[in-house]
């Protein structure tokens, strides 16, 4: 076999392959054997029909077609390996010449990973939010905890903001009560905004037994989105009583003995959360800067497949679970179909570019993934998917997705390497140390996963679809 590679553009090549006919012998034998098992000829036992009889009865062309279809993948793979190509997806094959007993010639056009030059990235500088926790934020956190331990007591007065009312509801559209428009004994905290628009104003000032009617757009049910006439009747009013903010409350609501210890713990939790957000912010901004430094040609067909995959996943999985279609989703988002298409394409380009750049960094920095790192990542992915580690691991193995998980971890490590060498300052002008922080490294991996699981699945999914 002889092969030659022609570069059509930075992301696509054409392979020209010539195969001497004698190299098709195994495929021809397999073709005769397959046809033998599929046909019957009077006077011959099944599977024992001579080749010459098959040629006479069914045509030599049918045998050649079967043999060529069997042989093409093998010779294509040999040519790819010989040319040391990193191909994406499946090729477009064109048989240019087939001479029985002499020669098979064909071409194969296929996308390839572009060659990427990673420049010096040690000079990247980004700014992130400072980790500042104010006294007001601590007080708000403690107050939220306090509200979780609030009690309610019935009162004989008009309902006011913050009260918990028990109500009956009836919704009419065009004068008709909706089949799913009646609800009884609903508990509602005035001012929470958890029910219909206008209900706070309607129930405020009503005592038990009082009722009011208001108009509101329904948020769900058979008449979702339609204006409805809603009648609300208050059957009970209860006042919420908050516990005193003292040491007794600290002992009730936490493992601490004093209120000051509880507040100190709340401050520490807020600081930890902001540090996590700060690390994520640093990685996102460093990644943006890195992508600006690198020119990455995007394979056209890969981009088309990724955009199609994203749309399919949104329409048939995410929106389906929410009971929405694409048109309703666009209305809620306030976007046109053209704006949605442009945004989806932009996200797909960024995802593919991110994967290509981080994969190149993995090679450049010679990063490896240990079994421990892979196991930790698998556990996190299992937790986020709602599956047990065993179930998730089994699904990954059965789906042949282990290399994808390895890639996710490796790309996370590549991004962490860039972040560690970058200069990160907060809005106060203070340097932020992003090195040797286990939580930060974990976040870096998650940041790399965010574009990659959908985005760099970007590369994997279309290729598998084509295959």
């Amino acid at each position: 076999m002889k092969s030659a590679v022609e570069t059509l553009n930075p992301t696509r090549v054409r392979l020209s392959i010539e195969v001497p006919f004698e190299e098709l012998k195994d495929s021809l034998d397999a073709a005769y054997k397959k046809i033998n098992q599929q046909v019957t000829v009077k006077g011959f036992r099944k599977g024992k029909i001579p080749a010459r009889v098959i040629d006479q009865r069914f045509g030599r062309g049918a045998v050649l077609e079967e043999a060529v279809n069997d042989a093409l993948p093998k010779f294509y793979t040999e040519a790819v390996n010989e040319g040391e190509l990193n191909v994406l997806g499946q090729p477009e094959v064109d048989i240019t010449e087939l001479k029985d007993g002499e020669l098979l010639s064909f071409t194969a056009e296929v996308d390839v990973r572009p060659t990427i030059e990673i420049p010096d990235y040690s000079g990247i500088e980004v700014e992130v939010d400072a980790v500042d926790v104010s006294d007001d934020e601590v007080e708000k956190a403690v107050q939220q905890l306090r509200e979780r331990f609030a009690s309610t007591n019935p009162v004989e007065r008009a309902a006011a903001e913050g009260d918990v009312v028990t109500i009956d509801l009836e919704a009419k559209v065009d004068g008709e009560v909706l089949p799913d428009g009646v609800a009884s004994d609903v508990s509602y905290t005035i001012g929470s905004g958890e029910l219909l628009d206008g209900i706070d104003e309607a129930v405020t000032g009503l005592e038990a037994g009082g009722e009011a009617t208001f108009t509101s757009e329904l948020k769900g049910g058979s008449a979702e989105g339609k204006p409805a006439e809603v009648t609300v009747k208050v059957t009970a009013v209860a006042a919420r009583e908050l516990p005193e903010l003292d040491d007794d409350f600290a002992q009730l609501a936490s493992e601490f003995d004093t209120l000051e210890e509880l507040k100190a713990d709340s401050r520490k939790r807020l600081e930890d959360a902001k540090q996590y957000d700060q690390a994520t912010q640093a990685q996102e901004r460093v990644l943006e800067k890195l992508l600006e430094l690198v020119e990455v040609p995007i394979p056209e067909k890969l981009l088309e497949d990724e955009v199609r995959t994203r749309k399919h996943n949104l329409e048939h999985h995410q929106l389906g679970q929410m009971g929405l279609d694409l048109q309703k989703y666009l209305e809620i988002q306030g976007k046109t179909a053209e704006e949605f298409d442009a945004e989806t394409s932009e996200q797909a380009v960024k995802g593919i570019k991110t994967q290509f750049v981080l994969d190149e960094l993995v090679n450049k920095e010679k990063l490896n993934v240990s079994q421990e790192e892979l196991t930790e990542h698998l556990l996190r992915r299992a937790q986020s998917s709602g599956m047990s580690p065993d179930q998730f691991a089994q699904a990954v193995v059965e789906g042949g997705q282990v290399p994808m998980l390895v890639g996710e971890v490796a790309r996370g490590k590549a991004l962490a390497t860039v972040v560690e060498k970058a200069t990160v300052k907060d809005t106060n002008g203070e340097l932020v140390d992003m090195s040797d922080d286990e939580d930060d490294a974990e976040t870096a991996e998650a940041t790399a996963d965010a574009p990659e699981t959908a985005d760099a699945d970007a590369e994997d999914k279309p290729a598998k679809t084509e295959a």
Side-chain angles (χ1 to χ4, degrees):
M1 184 197 79
K2 295 191 302 182
S3 66
V5 180
E6 176 188 358
T7 300
L8 303 178
N9 61 49
T11 63
R12 195 164 180 84
V13 299
R14 179 188 292 124
L15 291 164
S16 297
I17 302 164
E18 290 186 0
V19 183
F21 206 80
E22 56 266 23
E23 294 187 30
L24 288 173
K25 183 180 184 307
D26 290 344
S27 294
L28 279 169
D29 292 344
Y32 279 116
K33 184 176 182 181
K34 183 177 180 179
I35 294 173
N36 237 311
Q37 299 299 322
Q38 294 175 338
V39 302
T40 57
V41 175
K42 189 175 181 180
F44 297 95
R45 284 184 298 165
K46 196 175 186 66
K48 300 296 184 180
I49 309 170
R52 58 179 177 78
V53 175
I54 291 177
D55 289 346
Q56 291 170 357
R57 295 292 298 270
F58 304 102
R60 174 71 168 176
V63 179
L64 289 176
E65 181 179 355
E66 183 67 40
V68 168
N69 286 339
D70 176 75
L72 281 180
K74 179 183 70 173
F75 293 120
Y76 165 74
T77 301
E78 289 180 8
V80 167
N81 293 336
E82 187 178 290
E84 298 181 343
L85 302 175
N86 196 340
V87 298
L88 302 169
Q90 294 299 302
E92 295 178 3
V93 176
D94 181 27
I95 298 175
T96 55
E97 188 174 12
L98 177 57
K99 290 184 178 179
D100 193 358
E102 295 182 31
L103 182 72
L104 165 66
S105 297
F106 67 96
T107 62
E109 289 191 17
V110 65
D111 285 337
V112 294
R113 277 187 179 248
T115 300
I116 300 174
E117 293 293 332
I118 304 292
D120 178 23
Y121 50 80
S122 60
I124 290 178
E125 296 184 7
V126 297
E127 184 181 71
V128 295
D129 294 338
V131 178
D132 292 329
V133 177
S134 67
D135 291 342
D136 287 344
E137 289 175 303
V138 174
E139 292 298 329
K140 181 178 179 182
V142 173
Q143 182 65 24
Q144 289 172 341
L145 181 62
R146 184 187 181 198
E147 289 178 357
R148 287 172 51 192
F149 286 84
S151 59
T152 57
N153 294 307
V155 293
E156 295 182 3
R157 59 167 173 75
E161 183 172 353
D163 286 344
V164 179
V165 290
T166 304
I167 55 177
D168 297 334
L169 294 165
E170 181 184 82
K172 294 181 180 179
V173 173
D174 298 329
E176 297 291 331
V177 177
L178 297 172
D180 54 355
V182 178
S184 300
D185 296 327
V186 177
S187 180
Y188 176 67
T189 301
I190 300 175
S192 66
E194 294 174 353
L195 282 178
L196 299 169
D197 293 337
I199 194 169
D200 289 335
E201 294 81 358
V203 298
T204 298
L206 295 181
E207 298 184 15
E211 67 177 56
T213 301
F214 64 100
T215 301
S216 182
E217 183 178 298
L218 298 179
K219 296 181 178 179
S222 60
E224 179 182 1
K226 293 184 178 180
E229 183 183 85
V230 182
T231 299
V232 55
K233 181 178 180 180
V234 176
T235 59
V237 180
R240 296 174 75 244
E241 293 185 8
L242 299 176
E244 291 293 328
L245 278 179
D246 52 23
D247 293 345
D248 289 339
F249 169 70
Q251 295 166 21
L252 170 69
S254 71
E255 71 272 27
F256 302 107
D257 294 327
T258 68
L259 182 60
E260 288 307 310
E261 289 176 325
L262 173 60
K263 289 184 176 182
D265 180 70
S266 296
R267 183 179 295 277
K268 179 65 168 60
R269 290 175 183 271
L270 289 169
E271 287 174 350
D272 289 345
K274 288 196 174 187
Q275 284 176 345
Y276 185 93
D277 292 341
Q278 186 188 64
T280 302
Q281 193 178 69
Q283 290 138 12
E284 291 173 350
R285 294 181 180 180
V286 167
L287 178 60
E288 291 284 351
K289 292 281 190 178
L290 177 64
L291 295 181
E292 291 174 5
L293 294 176
V294 188
E295 284 293 329
V296 182
I298 303 297
E300 185 176 327
K301 191 171 189 310
L302 178 62
L303 177 58
E304 292 174 358
D305 288 341
E306 172 59 10
V307 169
R308 184 167 57 250
T309 298
R310 284 171 174 267
K311 287 183 177 180
H312 177 84
N313 289 342
L314 176 66
E315 289 189 65
H316 299 281
H317 297 292
Q318 300 168 13
L319 295 183
Q321 293 175 354
M322 298 164 61
L324 299 174
D325 57 21
L326 183 59
Q327 183 176 351
K328 183 66 176 177
Y329 169 76
L330 293 179
E331 289 177 5
I332 294 173
Q333 295 292 315
K335 297 176 183 175
T336 65
E338 292 75 16
E339 289 171 337
F340 169 74
D341 288 343
E343 185 179 281
T344 304
S345 180
E346 181 180 347
Q347 292 171 347
V349 167
K350 182 181 178 182
I352 295 171
K353 186 174 181 179
T354 296
Q355 179 173 340
F356 283 173
V357 170
L358 294 182
D359 282 347
E360 185 62 30
L361 268 170
V362 170
N363 295 329
K364 180 178 179 180
E365 302 292 345
K366 296 180 172 56
L367 300 175
N368 296 311
V369 175
S370 68
Q371 183 62 48
E372 182 182 1
E373 290 169 331
L374 182 60
T375 300
E376 289 176 357
H377 181 61
L378 186 146
L379 291 174
R380 285 194 294 274
R381 287 290 303 272
Q383 184 178 22
S384 65
S385 70
M387 300 170 67
S388 72
D390 287 344
Q391 289 174 324
F392 187 80
Q394 182 178 355
V396 166
V397 172
E398 290 178 353
Q401 300 298 301
V402 173
M404 184 190 77
L405 284 188
V406 173
E408 290 177 359
V409 179
R411 283 186 278 274
K413 294 180 70 174
L415 180 56
T417 299
V418 180
V419 172
E420 188 174 334
K421 293 183 179 180
T423 299
V424 181
K425 292 183 178 181
D426 65 22
T427 49
N428 294 329
E430 298 292 330
L431 280 172
V432 180
D433 184 9
M434 300 297 297
S435 63
D436 300 326
D437 188 317
E438 184 176 337
D439 290 336
D440 288 354
E442 194 171 301
T443 309
E445 182 181 325
T447 303
D449 288 348
E452 190 275 327
T453 43
D455 292 292
D457 270 358
E459 181 211 4
D460 287 337
K461 286 182 180 174
K464 290 174 185 172
T465 303
E466 291 175 6

